[in-house]
């Protein structure tokens, strides 16, 4: 390897890390945008409009890959999109009633820890030792979040957990059913399907506002462009420059950012048991991806 090539590789890796770190920041900021929007939006109407328009926005650069998809690829992508839509519907309802965004972000991040367990239960895939260690840490952390006044989980916590469970299943089926679909086309289809699912549920259960205020358009616009389309586009680009295991290590930082932004944005504060619960969940995320973390540390 030439000297210039050896210098070029670390620069590319550093650029990839920065892009993935930016993705976690955008994902965390998206929680703030969404919470602001829910002050005036019905939750399902908001998430449906946001994802449908973001999906259509991504369909512009993804037009050529979309036209080349087979019927089987469309069906696989749309099927996972429906499940993703259900997950995001539970998530937005949880966010609508949530008192602590940071706490909700840590509960939602349990989807990563649940993937091996769900995969084992449904498909009898093997579970590594680190996964078995991570699971009790994660559930202990979840229990601490629900034990403020005895075991009385808040509705938002239950909605976030159901969302995490559905997101873990979405991740598994996405890998199995749509592994050969171009990432940009897959994102465009799935985001659009999420929008269609949520808007259908909204039409059946929610009362839509007679007019949309400037604030509604502002927070919706930021959620579509910054929190959804830009985030997924950058994530797709960065993951193409990195291994999945390496990208996964950086992505676990998202709930930490969310907690910090929520503290600054909404003046949120957590009690000792909540902090301990979030710490245990974050530890579970690291343990769950320990092999990837170890490789990342060696590379650094």
């Amino acid at each position: 390897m030439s000297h210039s090539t050896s210098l070029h590789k670390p620069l590319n890796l550093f650029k990839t890390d920065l892009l993935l770190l930016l993705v976690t920041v955008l994902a965390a900021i998206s929680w703030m945008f969404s919470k602001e929007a829910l002050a005036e939006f019905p939750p399902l109407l908001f998430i449906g409009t946001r994802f449908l328009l973001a999906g259509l926005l991504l369909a512009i650069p993804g037009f050529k890959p979309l036209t080349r998809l087979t019927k089987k690829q469309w069906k696989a992508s749309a099927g996972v999109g429906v499940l993703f839509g259900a997950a995001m519907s539970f998530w937005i309802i949880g966010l609508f009633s949530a008192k602590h965004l940071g706490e909700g972000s840590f509960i939602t991040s349990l989807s990563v820890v649940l993937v091996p367990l769900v995969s084992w239960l449904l498909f009898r895939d093997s579970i590594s030792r680190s996964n078995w260690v991570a699971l009790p840490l994660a559930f202990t952390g979840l229990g601490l979040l629900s034990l403020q006044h005895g075991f009385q989980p808040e509705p938002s916590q239950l909605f976030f957990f159901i969302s995490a469970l559905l997101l873990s299943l979405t991740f598994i089926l996405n890998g199995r059913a749509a592994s050969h679909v171009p990432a940009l086309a897959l994102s465009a289809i799935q985001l659009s399907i999420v929008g269609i699912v949520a808007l259908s549920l909204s039409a059946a259960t929610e009362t839509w506002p007679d007019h949309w205020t400037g604030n509604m358009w502002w927070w919706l616009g930021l959620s579509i462009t910054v929190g959804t389309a830009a985030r997924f586009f950058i994530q797709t680009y960065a993951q193409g420059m990195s291994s999945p295991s390496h990208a996964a290590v950086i992505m676990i930082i998202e709930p930490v950012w969310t907690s910090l932004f929520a503290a600054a944005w909404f003046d949120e504060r957590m009690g000792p048991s909540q902090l301990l619960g979030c710490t245990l969940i974050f530890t579970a995320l690291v343990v769950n991806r320990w092999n990837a973390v170890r490789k990342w540390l060696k590379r650094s």
Side-chain angles (χ1 to χ4, degrees), residues 22-294:
L22 175 60
V23 169
T24 65
V25 172
L26 293 178
I29 290 176
S30 181
W31 282 72
M32 310 305 124
F33 293 164
S34 296
K35 190 64 175 179
E36 291 282 10
L38 292 178
E40 296 185 63
F41 266 107
L44 292 171
L45 174 61
F46 167 71
I47 201 70
T49 306
R50 168 186 163 182
F51 270 76
L52 179 59
L53 293 179
L56 295 176
L57 193 60
L58 285 182
I60 297 172
F63 180 74
K64 283 188 178 180
L66 284 168
T67 59
R68 295 171 184 160
L69 296 184
T70 64
K71 185 178 180 181
K72 184 177 180 181
Q73 288 174 318
W74 272 97
K75 186 176 179 180
S77 302
V80 178
V82 170
L83 188 60
F84 189 20
M88 294 311 298
S89 295
F90 276 105
W91 175 80
I92 198 65
I93 294 172
L95 185 62
F96 181 69
S97 58
K99 297 177 182 177
H100 297 280
L101 272 65
E103 178 186 285
S105 181
F106 276 99
I107 296 174
T108 306
S109 70
L110 284 173
S111 60
V112 174
V113 183
L114 290 171
V115 165
L117 178 61
V118 173
S119 188
W120 175 70
L121 289 172
L122 294 181
F123 304 106
R124 292 300 167 189
D125 291 342
S126 60
I127 301 183
S128 68
R129 185 179 302 173
S130 61
N131 297 144
W132 284 120
V133 174
L135 283 166
L137 286 171
F139 283 109
T140 302
L142 183 63
L144 285 170
L145 294 178
S146 306
L147 290 172
Q148 296 297 301
H149 307 287
F151 186 70
Q152 295 178 348
E154 297 174 359
S156 62
Q157 294 173 334
L158 294 175
F159 285 126
F160 283 134
F161 181 73
I162 294 171
S163 175
L165 191 60
L166 291 173
L167 285 171
S168 68
L169 185 56
T170 299
F171 182 85
I172 295 166
L173 296 181
N174 200 37
R176 288 174 172 268
S179 57
H180 302 296
V181 181
L184 192 56
L186 179 62
S187 297
I189 293 171
Q190 292 186 346
L191 294 183
S192 299
I193 294 295
V194 170
I196 292 169
V197 169
L199 285 174
S200 300
L201 292 172
S202 175
T205 61
E206 294 178 336
T207 301
W208 290 8
D210 294 328
H211 68 281
W212 289 18
T213 66
N215 260 353
M216 293 169 74
W217 283 111
W218 171 250
W219 294 117
L220 177 64
L222 286 175
S223 297
I224 292 169
T225 54
V226 178
T228 310
R231 169 194 168 188
F232 277 94
F233 186 81
I234 296 171
Q235 183 174 329
T236 300
Y237 175 72
Q239 286 180 332
M241 300 164 60
S242 175
S243 67
S245 60
H246 181 76
V249 173
I250 297 177
M251 298 300 286
I252 64 176
I253 302 172
E254 179 192 334
V256 178
W257 285 123
T258 305
S259 297
L260 292 173
F261 290 151
W265 198 303
F266 297 112
D267 198 30
E268 286 191 4
R269 297 292 182 269
M270 293 188 191
S273 64
Q274 290 172 300
L275 287 171
L276 180 57
C278 290
T279 300
L280 285 175
I281 290 174
F282 182 74
T283 304
L285 293 175
V286 175
V287 170
N288 187 66
R289 289 169 165 169
W290 180 244
N291 288 334
V293 171
R294 189 167 52 188

